[in-house]
Amino acid sequence: MRLRYQYRLYPDAAQREALARAFGCARVVFNDGLRVRTDARAQGLPYVSDGELSNRVITQAKQTPERAWLGEVSAVVLQQALADLNAAYRNFFASITGKRRGPRVAAPRFRSKKDNRQAVRFTRNARFSITPGGRLRLPKIGDVTVRWSRPLPSDPGSVTVVKDAAGRYFASFVVETGDETGEMPWPETAGEVGIDLGLTHFAVTSDGRKIGNPRFLRRAAKKLRKAQQALSRKAKGSANRKKAVVKVARGHARVADARRDFAHKLSTSIIRDNQAVHVENLSVKGLARTRLAKSVHDAGWSQFVGMLEYKAARYGRTLVKIDRWFPSSKLCSACGAVVESMPLSVRSWICACGAAHDRDVNAAINILAAGRADRLNACGDQVRPPLAVAQVDETGSLRGAA
């Protein structure tokens, strides 16, 4: 499995200037390549091939007075900028022809020096290295100080240097993990768990455990609002406005870092303690179009489920996603009866069979049962013989019924 390991960089003043030069050169090459292909299409000319494009916007451009400064940075940085452009075109063509699944991919756009994120990539051809003293040696930039929070499992195939909106620098390494690198899966365990994700509680497990929702954005809303108000009062183009922009970006970065740290710790503990994990395949995009949009984005369900997915594959666990149309909240986990309606205001209910249910715990138990049925029963039979089956015309029982 290929994974990214990210570390904080602390370049000095000269190295920051060299990195800014590399960011600018990569951006110019990307935009020049995009402009060449856009003009060729407007004039009805054939599609410019990758090799010809590299020759025109890098090799020939370096020989002109207008682009002679491209030779001040590593050639690999420029080639990788064109590689990103070519990948963007391939994804766009695959999307419009139906070969690529998922949402429609837009055509490549021009990059701006005002973008919140600037990045350059170095491959093995650039001969980047990690010095014996623990610094990252980058061509035409120097030895950059790195804070190593954990060791790399293997030699990296590439490194991407990123500058975010808050002015922080990071080194993102692509490494191979698995048996070939000496990394073994975790020992098997007998535990299985179903997880119901929500807003009142971030997650409720089938064993009755309730994990509170941290609401990182809500907790930081007051400080972010004051920082944004201070930014709105600064004159455009002034030095104080640039400082205010960085202050707002740092506030949002702290929120994102805290949310990511919470998701990492929780997903790791769940994967470590359970051999199989069962979750609902929620439509986060659909929920983000409701009045709960801010709370849904603040929860970060997609990020959490994505971490569960790759950690399960990495450590020899099983992750099962239950169909989002499965009535986990309205199904009695004791007798299998399905109630007609279950408003969100109902947090506990009593079934006709006499079983008393906590809404979220009952949903997590049903998710666990449905996940076991999907994983162990290849025929896709029902989870359990229900006493009452949901009617065809019941709201929520059919895709698009609501």
Side-chain angles (χ1 to χ4, degrees):
M1 178 184 293
R2 300 180 67 189
L3 294 177
R4 284 193 176 273
Y5 280 66
Q6 185 167 280
Y7 304 89
R8 184 75 180 270
L9 293 180
Y10 294 92
D12 56 29
Q15 292 168 348
R16 288 195 296 269
E17 184 179 351
L19 284 171
R21 190 181 305 113
F23 294 146
C25 291
R27 181 179 64 251
V28 168
V29 168
F30 183 95
N31 291 341
D32 286 348
L34 180 56
R35 188 175 296 105
V36 168
R37 282 181 170 159
T38 303
D39 294 344
R41 182 178 183 275
Q43 298 173 11
L45 300 176
Y47 180 79
V48 182
S49 65
D50 297 351
E52 182 182 355
L53 187 67
S54 175
N55 184 48
R56 290 171 63 176
V57 302
I58 297 180
T59 306
Q60 296 181 11
K62 286 182 180 180
Q63 301 173 4
T64 63
E66 296 81 6
R67 293 287 188 267
W69 36 264
L70 291 177
E72 299 177 4
V73 301
S74 173
V76 174
V77 169
L78 308 181
Q79 292 291 348
Q80 291 302 308
L82 279 187
D84 291 340
L85 176 62
N86 298 331
Y89 266 108
R90 286 194 297 269
N91 293 335
F92 170 63
F93 292 145
S95 179
I96 61 178
T97 56
K99 297 180 180 179
R100 179 186 173 93
R101 296 181 179 180
R104 184 66 62 88
V105 177
R109 67 170 182 85
F110 290 100
R111 292 179 176 177
S112 171
K113 63 180 179 180
K114 296 182 181 179
D115 288 343
N116 292 333
R117 183 180 182 274
Q118 302 285 341
V120 290
R121 185 167 60 252
F122 299 86
T123 61
R124 294 183 187 273
N125 295 335
R127 297 182 180 179
F128 71 90
S129 63
I130 300 173
T131 65
R135 296 196 172 195
L136 177 61
R137 180 168 294 169
L138 300 173
K140 296 190 177 183
I141 293 175
D143 297 347
V144 185
T145 303
V146 186
R147 176 168 292 179
W148 299 102
S149 55
R150 52 182 172 170
L152 287 171
S154 62
D155 293 335
S158 67
V159 59
T160 303
V161 179
V162 181
K163 181 185 178 183
D164 65 3
R168 303 177 300 177
Y169 293 85
F170 296 93
S172 180
F173 297 93
V174 176
V175 297
E176 294 286 344
T177 62
D179 296 342
E180 64 277 3
T181 61
E183 181 179 341
M184 301 299 293
W186 283 339
E188 292 189 5
T189 179
E192 285 191 58
V193 68
I195 303 176
D196 178 61
L197 300 175
L199 295 177
T200 304
H201 295 91
F202 177 79
V204 178
T205 62
S206 54
D207 55 5
R209 179 188 175 195
K210 294 185 177 181
I211 297 132
N213 189 355
R215 296 184 175 89
F216 295 106
L217 183 60
R218 296 284 184 181
R219 285 158 50 184
K222 186 176 181 180
K223 290 184 178 180
L224 292 174
R225 182 170 60 252
K226 288 185 177 180
Q228 189 66 46
Q229 287 174 347
L231 170 62
S232 66
R233 299 188 183 103
K234 300 296 186 293
K236 292 185 178 180
S238 65
N240 285 336
R241 184 177 178 84
K242 293 180 181 179
K243 295 177 184 178
V245 168
V246 173
K247 186 175 181 180
V248 172
R250 286 177 178 172
H252 283 285
R254 280 193 291 268
V255 171
D257 291 345
R259 184 186 296 116
R260 188 183 307 109
D261 180 71
F262 169 78
H264 266 301
K265 291 177 178 177
L266 180 59
S267 60
T268 299
S269 64
I270 290 175
I271 291 296
R272 182 183 58 243
D273 298 337
N274 298 278
Q275 187 63 33
V277 180
H278 312 273
V279 296
E280 273 187 307
N281 184 18
L282 296 174
S283 176
V284 178
K285 287 187 177 180
L287 293 171
R289 290 194 292 266
T290 66
R291 60 184 178 87
L292 300 174
K294 187 174 182 178
S295 298
V296 169
H297 286 303
D298 191 13
W301 294 329
S302 296
Q303 183 184 52
F304 174 69
V305 174
M307 290 180 181
L308 287 176
E309 191 168 7
Y310 90 79
K311 290 178 182 181
R314 182 181 182 185
Y315 297 116
R317 301 300 198 239
T318 301
L319 178 69
V320 181
K321 293 184 179 180
I322 307 303
D323 183 21
R324 66 188 60 166
W325 303 101
F326 176 69
S328 58
S329 298
K330 299 188 294 182
L331 177 67
C332 176
S333 58
C335 67
V338 180
V339 298
E340 293 184 359
S341 63
M342 184 70 64
L344 286 175
S345 59
V346 178
R347 308 315 303 172
S348 61
W349 56 285
I350 299 177
C351 181
C353 68
H357 298 296
D358 179 285
R359 179 193 181 103
D360 298 330
V361 175
N362 176 70
I365 294 173
N366 288 326
I367 290 171
L368 173 61
R372 284 174 173 172
D374 290 343
R375 183 167 57 92
L376 302 178
N377 187 0
C379 298
D381 205 354
Q382 295 212 19
V383 175
R384 59 177 64 84
L387 297 181
V389 181
Q391 299 300 316
V392 174
D393 58 349
E394 179 186 305
T395 302
S397 62
L398 291 177
R399 191 182 303 273

